[in-house]
Every structure is written in structure tokens, then in C-alpha cells.
Amino acid sequence: MDDSDGEQGLALPLVSVIMPAYNTARYIREAIDSVLDQDYPNKELIVIDDGSTDGTLELLASYGDRIRLITQRNQGSAVARNAGLAAAQGEYIAFLDSDDIWLPGKLRLQVDHLRRHPDIGMVYTRWAVWKPEANGAFPPAAQLPSEDSGRNEDAPAPGLVPERSGWLYNRLLFSSLLHTITVMARRELIDRIGSFDPELKRGQDYDFWIRASRLTEIHQLDRVLARYRVHGDGCVKKWPHVNYEKLVVQKALQRWGLEGPDGARTPSSALRRRLAETCFSFGYHHYWEGSPRLAVRAFGEAIAHRPWHPNSWRYLFKSLARAAVRPSEPAPRSADAR
């Protein structure tokens, strides 16, 4: 940061960027650089290494005091993010995973939006999927088609995505909507929400957004400002042995019910269908992944929510038949822990 950036930054609120990292040495430099290269000067990047063993720590050391580094034994992303929140000093909090990137202008546009809308506690953006080429290598981000006009300071501020903005509680009961790498929130809101739930090995971010939606309207900016990298190194493609998505929705319903803070009410029939679809999807994947007993339980739950769904019955019987000739289930995978 040069002197002019320092002078400008003093007039702007500090943004704390929280980045959990676990064995992402292949990708984390791009992630870090996409934060440090943002044209918003008053920021701190907190990287929480979650017990990496692949050289990630050595790479992080090369950044010196350009980042704040926290190390911990492997405990999962929820614990890592909570450690980052405890260390953060900013008025605003943003999140980025260590294998994804931000596009230019993201921080500036989100800070501008929150400063113009003091009643809004959280803002997120659209994002783009970043897929590898046929040889498995990812095309350089700079060579990808630019979907961000935020790099031009004279460009108009992005509008909102109406159907994904406002009091989102009732809509979040059906889908997570927010992508963690696109979110910025006021610190005062984070303090009211509380910490990420470490008992949820998956879906802790989904649970967090639902809790936020009880306290504030949430806005989505209508501009792609982050890229989500799809690769096989993480656990995202591995199905856990617990249906965390169902647990998150049920937890919200038990606490707040069907009515949002704005008075909107979700029909109970729609929620039964939602829970049935979640259970069916969980059972379907475990059936084809060779865990028929897990599938039996999931299809039974799907039928309890939606008794007349023929595919649930069909796959229940298929799972029962497969379970009868399979003496034991495979042991739970480490994906549940990380």
C-alpha cells in the first residue's frame, strides 16, 4: 500500500477478510492475491490454517505481514471461521475460501452499498463457476471472460436481484441462496448472529444465513464478483453420512416456524415437499454410492413427509433389497469431519 492508499484508507471503514485454509497450496496464492489486489485500501486478510500438511503454511509465510496468520489443528471450516471472527478488527466482515477468488471491485462495491443502506446488515453478490479444462488445469482467471464492470470506477453501482433480496427467511427455507465467498456483513450483525455452528460439518454457512435472515434484510448485488472453483480435491463432491441440509431446515423450523420476520408465511405443504426432496436426494446419492442402509432411512423419511411420491417408494424397496444382500455399510468417511 502506497502513501496515498494509506491516507485514503484512513477515511474508510476497515474490512476484515476471513479465509480458512486446508491443504490448498495449489490454489491459495490466487485467492490471497485476489484480496490484496482489491482497489479498496482499508482491509485486513486473516488466514486460518486448519492443520494443512501440503506446504500451505510455507506458502503463507512468504506473504509476511501482508496477511494475519492463525494456525490450528484440523477442526473444520466452522471452527476456522470462528477463529477468524474472534481475531477480526473490522467494521465489516467478508469471507473467501482459499481455493476461490474475488473479481476486481468486489470490496469497494459492497462497502459502498452498505454505507448507502445503513438499515441493511448483509450484502452478497452473484458468482460464476470456475471449471477446469479437459486436461484438468484451470484457465488463468485473467483470461476468463470478464463479467465485472466494477473495475471501472465510473461504472454505475450494480442494482439488486429482486427475488434474492429482502427479508429472505422464507426463501432460505428452500435454498441456501448465498454463497459464502460473496458475503459481506456488518460486524454488529455478526455479533448478534453468533458463531458458525461447529456441530454442522456441512451447512454451517446455510444455518448462519438463516439466522441472519431473522435479523436483517439481505441484498444481492446484480453483478458477478467472485469465482467458485470446482475441483475434486475438497470434500464438496463427497456425500456425508448425515443429512445436514435437512437438519439445518428442521432446526430453523423448530426455532422460528413458518413465519418470517416480515410476516410472510410459508405453506406447511411446501415445507413437507421441501423436506421430502432433501431426504430423497440424500437417499438417492447413498443408494448409488453403495450405502443402502443409509438410503433406506432417507427414503423412509421422504415418504413420511410425502407419502404418495412413487419414486421414494420405488427406491425404498430397491434399497431394502440391496441392504439384504450387503452385510455391512462402509465406514463413515473423513469427509464428515472436513
Side-chain angles (χ1 to χ4, degrees):
M1 181 186 299
D2 62 28
D3 291 342
S4 61
D5 281 343
E7 293 173 4
Q8 179 187 9
L10 292 175
L12 296 171
L14 176 66
V15 178
S16 296
V17 182
I18 296 175
M19 180 185 293
Y22 177 71
N23 286 349
T24 51
R26 293 173 58 189
Y27 310 120
I28 194 170
R29 188 175 293 279
E30 287 176 289
I32 290 174
D33 290 348
S34 77
V35 174
L36 298 180
D37 291 344
Q38 291 285 309
D39 62 357
Y40 186 87
N42 198 14
K43 56 185 178 286
E44 63 171 0
L45 173 56
I46 305 170
V47 182
I48 308 93
D49 183 78
D50 190 37
S52 295
T53 58
D54 69 340
T56 296
L57 268 175
E58 290 78 5
L59 189 152
L60 293 173
S62 69
Y63 282 90
D65 61 4
R66 299 178 71 198
I67 66 173
R68 294 177 60 192
L69 176 61
I70 298 172
T71 60
Q72 64 179 38
R73 63 180 177 82
N74 182 239
Q75 299 174 76
S77 57
V79 175
R81 289 194 183 105
N82 288 340
L85 288 176
Q89 300 175 355
E91 180 180 340
Y92 298 140
I93 306 291
F95 303 95
L96 180 62
D97 290 339
S98 58
D99 48 0
D100 302 320
I101 64 168
W102 285 345
L103 298 183
K106 178 186 181 292
L107 286 184
R108 173 173 51 81
L109 289 169
Q110 289 186 294
V111 170
D112 288 349
H113 187 81
L114 289 175
R115 297 183 85 180
R116 290 198 313 271
H117 299 87
D119 55 326
I120 300 302
M122 182 175 287
V123 60
Y124 68 117
T125 77
R126 292 169 52 216
W127 65 91
V129 173
W130 189 6
K131 294 182 178 179
E133 297 175 327
N135 62 2
F138 285 86
Q143 296 179 13
L144 295 170
S146 175
E147 299 173 76
D148 172 43
S149 58
R151 69 183 69 239
N152 179 359
E153 294 193 2
D154 296 326
L160 299 182
V161 181
E163 64 274 15
R164 289 172 171 255
S165 301
W167 288 104
L168 294 184
Y169 173 74
N170 299 83
R171 278 168 277 186
L172 284 169
L173 292 175
F174 294 89
S175 175
S176 180
L177 294 183
L178 290 72
H179 199 308
T180 306
I181 67 173
T182 72
V183 171
M184 178 182 288
R186 299 181 191 276
R187 179 62 197 240
E188 60 187 10
L189 173 66
I190 298 281
D191 290 340
R192 294 175 65 198
I193 298 169
S195 59
F196 289 88
D197 186 351
E199 296 300 316
L200 295 170
K201 305 307 179 184
R202 302 279 188 90
Q204 64 273 117
D205 49 353
Y206 186 14
D207 171 71
F208 200 80
W209 315 142
I210 290 178
R211 285 187 280 148
S213 74
R214 301 296 307 187
L215 301 173
T216 181
E217 290 188 53
I218 300 171
H219 284 176
Q220 184 182 34
L221 300 184
D222 192 10
R223 188 167 298 167
V224 173
L225 292 172
R227 291 195 182 276
Y228 168 64
R229 192 192 305 260
V230 178
H231 61 89
D233 296 343
C235 65
V236 68
K237 295 184 178 180
K238 301 175 184 177
W239 278 77
H241 280 57
V242 176
N243 190 345
Y244 289 109
E245 183 177 9
K246 180 197 71 172
L247 289 182
V248 168
V249 175
Q250 288 180 328
K251 177 181 174 182
L253 291 173
Q254 289 167 3
R255 186 171 181 182
W256 296 294
L258 297 171
E259 187 171 315
D262 58 339
R265 188 171 181 84
T266 298
S268 58
S269 59
L271 256 299
R272 287 195 298 271
R273 182 184 182 94
R274 155 68 165 152
L275 290 170
E277 290 172 348
T278 300
C279 294
F280 180 86
S281 178
F282 184 82
Y284 181 87
H285 283 275
H286 278 294
Y287 174 81
W288 289 109
E289 287 188 352
S291 300
R293 286 177 175 78
L294 279 174
V296 166
R297 291 195 292 272
F299 292 127
E301 291 175 352
I303 290 167
H305 292 296
R306 194 181 177 196
W308 307 115
H309 185 235
N311 268 349
S312 294
W313 285 100
R314 183 161 66 91
Y315 271 95
L316 174 63
F317 291 131
K318 292 175 69 171
S319 300
L320 285 167
R322 185 170 289 187
V325 298
R326 193 180 184 103
S328 63
E329 296 280 277
R333 294 168 298 197
S334 60
D336 281 9
R338 176 67 200 177

